[in-house]
Amino acid sequence: MHERNAKPTNERSAEQGETATGSKASRLGWFGRTISRRMNSVPLSTKLVACTLAMLVVGMFCVTFSIRQLVSNYLLQKTDNQLVDQAQLVYDNISSLQNKDSSQSTVGPNDYYMQIRDINNNILSTPLQPSMKDGVISQPVLPREGSMDGVVLGTAFTTTSNVIGLQNADHITAQAAKAPWRVIALKWGEKTSDSSGTNVRGVVYIGLSLSDQIDTVNTLTKYCALVSVAIVMLGGVIAALVIQQTLVPLKRIEKTAAKIAAGDLSQRVPKAPENTEVGSLAASLNSMLSRIELSFREQEESNAKMKRFVSDASHELRTPLAAIHGYAELYAMQRDLPGADKRADESIAHIESSSARMTELVEDLLSLARLDEGRGIDITQQIRLNSILSDAADDLHALDPERGISQGTLSLQPSDGKNPISLAFTPGAMPEITLTADGSRLRQVITNIVGNIHRYTPADSPVEVGMGLLPASISPESLSRMPATSESLHNFLEAVEVGQSMQIGMNYAVVRFSDHGPGVPEEFQSQIFERFYTADPSRARLKGGTGLGMAIAQSVAKAHHGFICASTTDGGGLTLTVVLPVSPVEPSARVKAAHDAVQKAENGQDANAAKTKTKESSRRKWGRSAKTANSDKGNQSSTA
């Protein structure tokens, strides 16, 4: 029965121990969290000043303690040397020392204590015993009579004092009398008759009070403590001033953040040298704030565009729906009147035209939605771009037989100092260009451009349709992010100039339609690619169209990692330029030769010749890299 009850008792004890341990750990955890929470609530400046003061206190304590120990050891060693050096002198002049009045001098041999013992350590006499003020006598506590008590001959040791007559002494005298003694034990004896040795007769104890040394050490410690306190206080004041001055930029950052939180996103943190922590933080914050402001503006613009899009879509859909509803009511009202069949046919015709217009609008909206989601496009077909352009030119001629249409080739026209870099049009047959794309979508882009020319330009105004294959030192991803502005086209042409000179980058098919109609003002040219934009402010759309053609063209171009923009035609009119990537540029013979030279140099073959060719190639390459960097920088800034 006892064994059965023992195990449950042990288990209960273990459970109680675990509970107590868990409770203790819980209390420690709560205490640690409380301390951490209190520490986190203390301002940073206070923490820094407190840490500085703590370090100063610890440092000055260590300095004071070290000085005290060093001086104390030095004085003790000096006392030991004094005892060793003057022990024989004191011993040889015992009789004269016994007759010297201790009141004649405060420093001198009369400060010594001497006790002579025989060879059995029995006390023979105490010839020297210094007396102090008011008859106070201080004696060192020596080994008991008849024993050495572990004292080593010739080695100094420290012992306590035995004070006599302390009742009438003042504080200074009492303190000096209670000071410990430094004592050394030496053998004493007489020389033999033949002076060949010494007969040891006993042991002599010679001692010096350490009161002067202790007083010196205490005075030095007091002065060190006072200096330490002054240094700590001065260091605390200086640390507080320096820390407050150092944290001024952080307070400026705090004020700037408060203004930004209030809604002023244009605020920036004051700049500081970036090699400092505050300067690096300010630069990072300014960069972050610029991106946030840009994102916020883009979001606002996106919301504004979305609101305008919903408003425009509602307006465009409301017009045909109102027409359908109105003609349906008109038919219902006139169907019982004479001549109702003729009026019914007119109503049905209007309803059909309105529904067709609404269907076209809905189809365009659906196409845009699919393109925005990355659907509805298949960029895997091999397309002959010159065939699509030829068909578009024939369609435009069929729509406007009186219009003059010129086809030709596009080439780069470098800047001559007076005229900027541009594309030159040479009449003739267009080059044959094949690329991987979605044929139906590209035809839709070209058809929309041709439709705009047909609607908004006079039927007899000439049109130039050009195409060219140009290399450019810019990636398709960067090209697709460029805004639809003439400045972006200029940056692309600079990249073309670099690509042609160095034969690097990507080949691009450049398609351009130039008309000589009324054109569009430069400040509104980028808006023609917005949804529901129309050059006719009355929004009557008497010339047809949904206002989504150029928006679809831009979405299709970006889906092909391409670019489209509008600019002013020389002599008046509007020029639409479409850029589509074709294939990477094949390295030229010069670049291949330089690459082969480098390979030979690495393999150790014809090292000198390869080195010379590599230097020439590098010189040419880096001579033109600055222009490439400027072009890419311009592209990135346009993209941002």
Side-chain angles (χ1 to χ4, degrees):
M1 185 61 122
H2 177 71
E3 293 179 355
R4 291 179 182 177
N5 294 332
K7 186 174 181 180
T9 303
N10 294 336
E11 290 180 354
R12 285 194 300 270
S13 300
E15 290 178 357
Q16 292 176 358
E18 292 177 357
T19 303
T21 303
S23 177
K24 183 178 180 180
S26 177
R27 288 194 299 271
L28 290 176
W30 174 84
F31 181 74
R33 289 191 298 270
T34 302
I35 295 298
S36 177
R37 187 166 55 253
R38 294 287 179 84
M39 289 296 295
N40 292 333
S41 63
V42 178
L44 178 61
S45 58
T46 304
K47 289 182 181 178
L48 293 176
V49 173
C51 290
T52 304
L53 289 176
M55 293 179 64
L56 286 175
V57 169
V58 173
M60 297 312 300
F61 174 79
C62 293
V63 170
T64 302
F65 180 78
S66 300
I67 292 176
R68 177 185 176 89
Q69 289 298 114
L70 290 174
V71 173
S72 177
N73 293 334
Y74 170 75
L75 293 177
L76 190 63
Q77 183 65 35
K78 188 175 181 180
T79 302
D80 292 346
N81 294 336
Q82 184 177 353
L83 287 174
V84 173
D85 294 340
Q86 298 186 7
Q88 187 64 36
L89 178 63
V90 173
Y91 176 72
D92 293 338
N93 296 276
I94 292 177
S95 58
S96 60
L97 292 174
Q98 287 177 333
N99 297 327
K100 187 173 180 64
D101 188 2
S102 61
S103 63
Q104 296 177 1
S105 177
T106 58
V107 179
N110 59 323
D111 292 333
Y112 287 91
Y113 175 87
M114 177 179 288
Q115 187 180 87
I116 300 174
R117 298 188 182 190
D118 60 13
I119 195 170
N120 294 321
N121 284 296
N122 296 318
I123 299 174
L124 298 179
S125 64
T126 305
L128 292 179
Q129 181 172 309
S131 61
M132 304 179 68
K133 184 180 178 182
D134 298 329
V136 178
I137 299 176
S138 177
Q139 300 176 347
V141 177
L142 299 178
R144 63 182 181 275
E145 190 173 3
S147 173
M148 291 289 291
D149 285 344
V151 174
V152 179
L153 295 176
T155 302
F157 63 94
T158 303
T159 182
T160 58
S161 62
N162 182 22
V163 183
I164 300 175
L166 192 62
Q167 293 79 7
N168 300 323
D170 55 11
H171 176 71
I172 297 176
T173 304
Q175 188 175 3
K178 293 179 181 179
W181 287 75
R182 192 70 173 172
V183 182
I184 187 172
L186 300 172
K187 295 179 181 179
W188 71 278
E190 297 178 348
K191 293 183 179 180
T192 58
S193 59
D194 56 1
S195 300
S196 60
T198 301
N199 293 324
V200 178
R201 298 182 58 186
V203 178
V204 58
Y205 288 92
I206 302 175
L208 273 174
S209 176
L210 296 178
S211 59
D212 292 339
Q213 290 85 340
I214 293 175
D215 182 64
T216 301
V217 171
N218 291 337
T219 303
L220 181 63
T221 303
K222 180 176 67 176
Y223 282 114
C224 286
L226 293 176
V227 173
S228 299
V229 171
I231 291 176
V232 169
M233 294 178 64
L234 181 62
V237 173
I238 295 176
L241 294 177
V242 172
I243 290 172
Q244 290 294 332
Q245 186 65 26
T246 305
L247 294 180
V248 167
L250 293 180
K251 293 181 179 179
R252 293 175 183 171
I253 293 175
E254 179 184 0
K255 293 180 180 178
T256 303
K259 294 179 181 178
I260 293 173
D264 187 3
L265 297 179
S266 62
Q267 292 291 329
R268 292 295 180 269
V269 176
K271 294 183 179 179
E274 293 191 9
N275 60 334
T276 62
E277 291 79 3
V278 175
S280 177
L281 175 62
S284 300
L285 286 177
N286 286 334
S287 177
M288 180 189 68
L289 292 175
S290 298
R291 293 186 179 182
I292 291 175
E293 184 180 11
L294 179 61
S295 301
F296 187 76
R297 288 181 179 177
E298 290 178 350
Q299 183 179 5
E300 287 184 338
E301 291 177 359
S302 178
N303 292 336
K305 287 181 179 180
M306 180 60 67
K307 292 178 181 179
R308 187 167 61 251
F309 171 74
V310 172
S311 176
D312 292 342
S314 301
H315 176 82
E316 296 296 335
L317 290 173
R318 184 180 61 182
T319 301
L321 286 174
I324 292 173
H325 182 69
Y327 283 110
E329 287 186 350
L330 182 62
Y331 170 73
M333 292 170 58
Q334 296 180 350
R335 62 183 175 181
D336 296 330
L337 300 176
D341 295 338
K342 182 178 180 180
R343 287 189 292 271
D345 293 338
E346 293 177 356
S347 297
I348 294 299
H350 284 293
I351 290 174
E352 288 180 352
S353 63
S354 298
S355 62
R357 175 176 172 74
M358 187 169 59
T359 301
E360 180 183 2
L361 179 61
V362 172
E363 288 293 336
D364 289 344
L365 290 173
L366 182 60
S367 297
L368 281 173
R370 289 177 176 175
L371 290 172
D372 290 342
E373 294 176 358
R375 300 185 297 113
I377 190 168
D378 181 18
I379 315 178
T380 59
Q381 308 169 15
Q382 293 295 319
I383 306 302
R384 293 180 60 191
L385 192 57
N386 54 307
S387 176
I388 296 177
L389 293 182
S390 298
D391 294 342
D394 293 339
D395 294 340
L396 183 58
H397 182 71
L399 292 172
D400 300 323
E402 298 178 359
R403 189 187 301 274
I405 302 174
S406 302
Q407 301 182 23
T409 304
L410 296 177
S411 60
L412 185 67
Q413 181 68 37
S415 175
D416 56 2
K418 296 181 180 180
N419 299 317
I421 189 172
S422 60
L423 290 173
F425 175 77
T426 304
M430 289 186 295
E432 293 187 0
I433 299 177
T434 302
L435 72 160
T436 304
D438 190 327
S440 61
R441 289 296 185 181
L442 289 185
R443 285 185 180 275
Q444 186 179 13
V445 172
I446 303 302
T447 300
N448 290 342
I449 294 175
V450 169
N452 279 356
I453 294 174
H454 168 67
R455 292 188 188 97
Y456 299 109
T457 62
D460 57 351
S461 63
V463 173
E464 291 87 22
V465 181
M467 181 174 63
L469 185 65
L470 302 175
S473 59
I474 185 173
S475 64
E477 290 77 12
S478 299
L479 182 69
S480 63
R481 290 195 296 266
M482 294 170 63
T485 60
S486 56
E487 183 180 357
S488 299
L489 179 61
H490 179 76
N491 294 332
F492 170 74
L493 294 180
E494 288 183 346
V496 170
E497 186 175 16
V498 176
Q500 285 184 345
S501 62
M502 301 186 65
Q503 288 298 311
I504 59 174
M506 177 74 70
N507 285 317
Y508 290 94
V510 182
V511 179
R512 191 178 75 174
F513 287 83
S514 299
D515 63 55
H516 296 275
V520 177
E522 291 185 2
E523 60 270 19
F524 299 115
Q525 287 176 357
S526 61
Q527 297 182 9
I528 66 175
F529 300 101
E530 295 180 1
R531 300 172 184 185
F532 293 112
Y533 175 81
T534 177
D536 184 4
S538 65
R539 304 188 59 87
R541 302 207 181 276
L542 299 177
K543 298 181 180 180
T546 61
L548 297 174
M550 289 296 99
I552 293 176
Q554 185 184 45
S555 297
V556 172
K558 288 184 177 295
H560 285 82
H561 300 290
F563 165 76
I564 184 172
C565 74
S567 58
T568 302
T569 306
D570 293 339
L574 184 67
T575 297
L576 293 173
T577 305
V578 182
V579 182
L580 299 171
V582 178
S583 61
V585 176
E586 292 292 334
S588 63
R590 183 176 60 186
V591 177
K592 288 183 179 179
H595 183 268
D596 294 339
V598 174
Q599 292 295 329
K600 288 181 180 180
E602 291 178 353
N603 296 331
Q605 300 176 358
D606 197 9
N608 294 329
K611 187 176 181 181
T612 303
K613 292 181 181 179
T614 304
K615 286 183 177 179
E616 293 178 357
S617 175
S618 300
R619 193 178 297 112
R620 293 171 184 170
K621 176 180 178 181
W622 293 112
R624 291 167 180 160
S625 294
K627 199 166 188 179
T628 306
N630 292 333
S631 174
D632 290 341
K633 184 177 180 181
N635 295 339
Q636 293 175 0
S637 63
S638 299
T639 303

